[in-house]
């Protein structure tokens, strides 16, 4: 099939839940992607903040191949060496005590919600608890995750969803306090809001929230599915705030391409939470997925990926700042590390399309916001190449 035939056949057979770009991606190398016409793209999307270590990573591919040769799947009725290793590594790195591996981000959220409800159920002997989530949040597309997603547009057609969810204003502690009742069991938020437009939590807000949760025995759930795994220049975004969540969710870069997510919790939470029979997954954390996690964490440590992000992000910020000074239609640039937003006063989609023509892949977050979530291995030369393309496009706008 040629490029147009792939597009036509895809449009014929896929359920139409995505407005795909007319580009057929075939292979990747480092921070570049190639389409079926051989065109090269500098990738500032990373498969939606997934491929942190770059494409065609030799050691990663070898680790997966070795695991495929040994054992791809077992089920969770047995132990497997790499699942145990992955669990030990991710708990040690995050400072959490226990982990459950899932196949996706949304499933990690489902698990986190169930874990919080079970904790409160064990403590109080009833199941009428409430969860406070944030406006403009994004936690996934399955029912529970959708129910804590603060975007009416995503939720509206699907009815009421999970009950007893209230929405507070992000970065506004009083709006959270106003919703707390004796039945509040958890507060869930992204440490840096992603899909909602790249809004980092303010330091005071998160610290006061941690304190509020401690005082009332409310579980603090931090969703770091997008902002975790080194993206902010910290291995986990919460580290910057000097706090720790009770429950943490991860996915996206956790497997760097192999579908895997996780929810983790403290021992205090685990003691009163999910026990045998409460939760499960046929695939979740199977040997192949966990081999990916082990290799990803090994490379993160060996190559000090978070340190590289921290060291290089100021340069990205500086370059974005220069664009902002030059073009008055840029309303704001903001973000943490390699998770940055350029907010425009017009729809960002046209810039994304123009960038593709110039060989640059960008994402959006909301209608007017360009979202930059490159592979975490990019260097200054890639930042320069990206800014030059954007400068060229902006100058024609
Ligand atoms: C992507 C994302 C999810 C959902 O993950 P999926 O793997 O798409 O189910 C949840 N929370 C945040 C913050 C995300 O960015």
């Amino acid at each position: 099939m040629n490029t147009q035939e792939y597009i036509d056949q895809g449009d014929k057979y896929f359920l139409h839940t995505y407005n795909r770009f007319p580009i057929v991606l075939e292979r990747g190398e480092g921070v570049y992607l190639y389409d079926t016409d051989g065109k090269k793209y500098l990738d500032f999307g990373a498969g939606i903040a997934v491929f942190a270590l770059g494409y065609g990573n030799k050691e990663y591919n070898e680790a997966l191949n070795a695991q495929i040769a040994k054992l791809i799947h077992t089920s969770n009725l047995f132990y497997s060496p790499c699942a145990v290793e992955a669990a030990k590594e991710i708990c040690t790195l995050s400072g959490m005590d226990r982990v459950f591996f899932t196949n996706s981000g949304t499933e990690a959220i489902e698990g986190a919600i169930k874990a919080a409800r079970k904790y409160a159920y064990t403590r109080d002997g009833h199941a009428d608890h409430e969860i406070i989530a944030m406006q403009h949040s994004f936690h996934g597309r399955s029912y529970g995750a959708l129910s804590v997603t603060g975007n009416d547009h995503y939720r509206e057609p699907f009815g009421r969803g999970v009950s007893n969810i209230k929405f507070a204003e992000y970065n506004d502690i009083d709006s959270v306090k106003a919703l707390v009742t004796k039945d509040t069991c958890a507060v869930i938020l992204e440490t840096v809001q992603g899909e909602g437009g790249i809004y980092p939590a303010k330091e005071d807000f998160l610290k006061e929230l941690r304190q509020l949760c401690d005082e009332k025995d409310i579980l603090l759930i931090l969703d770091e599915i997008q902002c975790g795994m080194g993206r902010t220049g910290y291995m986990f975004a919460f580290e910057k705030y000097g706090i720790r969540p009770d429950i943490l969710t991860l996915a996206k870069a956790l497997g760097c391409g192999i579908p895997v997510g996780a929810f983790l919790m403290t021992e205090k939470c685990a003691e009163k939470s999910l026990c045998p029979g409460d939760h499960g997954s046929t695939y979740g954390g199977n040997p192949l997925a966990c081999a990916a996690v082990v290799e990803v964490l090994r490379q993160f440590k060996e190559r000090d990926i978070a340190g590289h992000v921290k060291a290089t992000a100021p340069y990205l910020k500086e370059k974005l700042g220069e664009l902002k000074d030059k073009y008055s239609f840029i309303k704001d640039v903001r973000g943490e590390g390699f998770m940055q937003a350029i907010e425009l006063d017009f729809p960002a989609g046209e810039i994304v399309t123009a960038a593709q023509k110039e060989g640059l892949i960008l994402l959006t977050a909301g209608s007017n916001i360009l979202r930059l979530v490159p592979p975490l291995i990019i260097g200054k030369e890639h930042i320069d190449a990206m800014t030059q393309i954007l400068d060229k496009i902006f100058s024609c706008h």
Side-chain angles (χ1 to χ4, degrees), residues 323-375:
L323 288 175
K324 180 168 183 284
D325 292 342
K326 192 163 167 189
Y327 299 103
S328 61
F329 54 73
I330 299 180
K331 286 167 64 185
D332 193 20
V333 296
R334 63 173 172 269
E336 290 284 346
F338 285 173
M339 187 172 178
Q340 297 286 335
I342 304 174
E343 186 168 345
L344 308 168
D345 68 4
F346 59 89
E350 57 187 90
I351 302 297
V352 169
T353 308
Q356 287 166 358
K357 295 215 169 73
E358 300 289 333
L360 170 67
I361 291 183
L362 298 172
L363 304 178
T364 58
S367 65
N368 290 2
I369 297 168
L370 288 170
R371 173 169 40 147
L372 311 180
V373 282

Side-chain angles (χ1 to χ4, degrees), residues 121-134:
Y121 172 84
T122 308
R123 184 191 58 199
D124 300 342
H126 70 82
D128 302 323
H129 295 96
E130 299 164 356
I131 293 177
I132 298 175
M134 300 294 146

